[in-house]
Amino acid sequence: MKIKNLLSVIFALAISASTYAQANLLNSKTPDEIGKKTAAQLISDNDKPLPYGYVHDRDVLMGKTIWEFIDLDERINFPLYYPIDTAFVGKERRSLFDVLVKNIKNGKITEVYGDDYFNTKKTFKDMASSFTYIDTTDAGKDEINNYYDDYKSGAKVLDPQYINKKELDASYISGYRIKGFWYFDKRQGELKYRLLALCPVTPEARDAGNEKADVIDLFWVYFPTVRDILHESKAFNDKNSAMPITFDHLLNSRRFNGQIYKEENVYGDREIQQYMKDNSQNQLLESERVKEKIRSFESDMWNY
């Protein structure tokens, strides 16, 4: 009986490996056939994100909403950042930012908001100025002033070399803010985490490339509504490229490092930097204190 169970587990892993690996890579006769699934694969391909279990409000003994910042300069967070240049990688490899923006543009992601409390909805049209910046260079302004009448009448058209255009892309993303809920499930007797929203943090397009530029919260996406899309998109697995990790799995399993910058509190959910001013070390210590406070609740449950 044990051998039969072992074989069934191995068979399941083999199926999952074939599902996650780049389809038809070893059997393709031409590059165009890479990524195309066979008829048998299409029939058996019913891969979906693991659904969340239902949690009744009465089963939540303790809950706390936490906001964290994921710094993309940290090596452990690189799978969320790269690739930043898609010209030299396959079509199946994209950064998390590219996946989100592409699906906002094509209308597959609709639950996009301007704040982390989901009060104001946003469309890509509303955010267009943040993604693209077009301006006339100083030389172009001089050109227009010198031949103002010609440009006004339409006799001359401004040369593209006098136009400065910046596009916001994945290379300018500095990090992600995430909002999640830690809760103790008294029915199962364990501490759990549920990711609620995520937000790219970046300078606006006009300030792209300026290291001293202020960064903004670009948009907030309600995470449960984008799980299917993030499950179809894969992050790079450095240990085994035949089994990439889905962005949904990566985020839900917390395979990243995030620093707590805010917890819900009586002071209007103020951030740590608002009451620990001008002292980065104390801010980090306060972040760890909040983290330990949540962890300690679970361990205290089993101490009498």
Side-chain angles (χ1 to χ4, degrees):
M1 189 66 182
K2 291 182 178 180
I3 296 176
K4 185 183 290 186
N5 293 336
L6 179 61
L7 291 174
S8 63
V9 171
I10 294 174
F11 181 70
L13 289 174
I15 292 176
S16 63
S18 64
T19 302
Y20 283 110
Q22 191 172 358
N24 209 32
L25 177 64
L26 301 179
N27 300 314
S28 300
K29 296 181 180 179
T30 62
D32 294 338
E33 295 179 359
I34 298 176
K36 293 183 179 179
K37 297 182 179 181
T38 64
Q41 285 177 319
L42 290 172
I43 293 173
S44 62
D45 188 9
N46 59 351
D47 187 33
K48 297 291 182 183
L50 186 66
Y52 291 142
Y54 177 75
V55 181
H56 198 287
D57 291 342
R58 289 180 297 182
D59 294 332
V60 178
L61 186 62
M62 182 280 295
K64 176 73 74 171
T65 302
I66 294 295
W67 287 260
E68 296 172 86
F69 179 71
I70 301 174
D71 189 351
L72 294 183
D73 284 335
E74 296 184 30
R75 184 174 295 275
I76 191 174
N77 299 327
F78 280 178
L80 296 171
Y81 181 62
Y82 290 100
I84 55 176
D85 189 349
T86 58
F88 302 101
V89 294
K91 295 180 181 179
E92 74 285 350
R93 289 189 60 189
R94 292 292 182 268
S95 67
L96 177 59
F97 181 75
D98 283 334
V99 172
L100 293 174
V101 173
K102 174 186 174 182
N103 286 280
I104 291 174
K105 285 182 178 180
N106 63 26
K108 291 185 178 180
I109 295 179
T110 58
E111 296 301 313
V112 183
Y113 297 85
D115 61 285
D116 49 352
Y117 293 98
F118 318 118
N119 292 320
T120 308
K121 265 198 168 186
K122 298 179 75 173
T123 63
F124 189 79
K125 185 178 180 180
D126 299 331
M127 302 180 287
S129 61
S130 297
F131 282 93
T132 305
Y133 177 70
I134 301 175
D135 193 18
T136 306
T137 62
D138 292 337
K141 293 176 182 178
D142 293 337
E143 172 74 10
I144 294 173
N145 291 332
N146 293 334
Y147 303 96
Y148 179 76
D149 293 334
D150 293 336
Y151 282 107
K152 185 177 180 180
S153 63
K156 293 189 69 173
V157 179
L158 191 64
D159 193 283
Q161 66 175 329
Y162 296 126
I163 298 175
N164 180 23
K165 183 176 181 180
K166 289 184 179 180
E167 295 280 352
L168 191 65
D169 58 36
S171 63
Y172 300 117
I173 302 299
S174 58
Y176 286 92
R177 298 189 192 276
I178 61 172
K179 178 182 180 180
F181 188 71
W182 284 99
Y183 66 97
F184 187 86
D185 191 331
K186 67 179 182 181
R187 185 179 293 274
Q188 298 188 18
E190 60 180 326
L191 188 68
K192 294 184 178 182
Y193 178 77
R194 184 71 59 86
L195 182 59
L196 299 177
L198 71 157
C199 166
V201 177
T202 174
E204 291 190 284
R206 65 179 178 181
D207 298 321
N210 183 2
E211 295 182 357
K212 297 181 179 180
D214 294 331
V215 294
I216 62 170
D217 294 352
L218 201 56
F219 55 81
W220 283 88
V221 175
Y222 188 59
F223 183 77
T225 63
V226 299
R227 291 193 63 208
D228 287 333
I229 293 172
L230 296 185
H231 186 75
E232 295 172 0
S233 306
K234 309 294 191 295
F236 184 73
N237 185 352
D238 192 40
K239 296 182 179 178
N240 185 0
S241 59
M243 293 188 67
I245 307 164
T246 70
F247 283 118
D248 176 69
H249 181 197
L250 187 151
L251 291 168
N252 272 310
S253 58
R254 293 187 61 85
R255 298 178 67 161
F256 58 82
N257 183 50
Q259 199 69 37
I260 296 174
Y261 70 91
K262 182 170 70 168
E263 64 168 332
E264 59 177 349
N265 52 64
V266 70
Y267 304 103
D269 296 347
R270 65 179 181 179
E271 297 184 11
I272 290 176
Q273 65 177 359
Q274 291 180 285
Y275 60 93
M276 292 286 184
K277 298 181 179 180
D278 303 326
N279 195 321
S280 298
Q281 184 177 7
N282 283 348
Q283 291 174 11
L284 290 172
L285 291 174
E286 176 67 6
S287 176
E288 289 299 315
R289 185 194 69 80
V290 174
K291 185 187 299 183
E292 289 302 319
K293 180 175 64 174
I294 297 172
R295 286 179 177 175
S296 297
F297 184 89
E298 183 181 27
S299 62
D300 291 345
M301 291 297 295
W302 311 114
N303 293 328
Y304 299 96

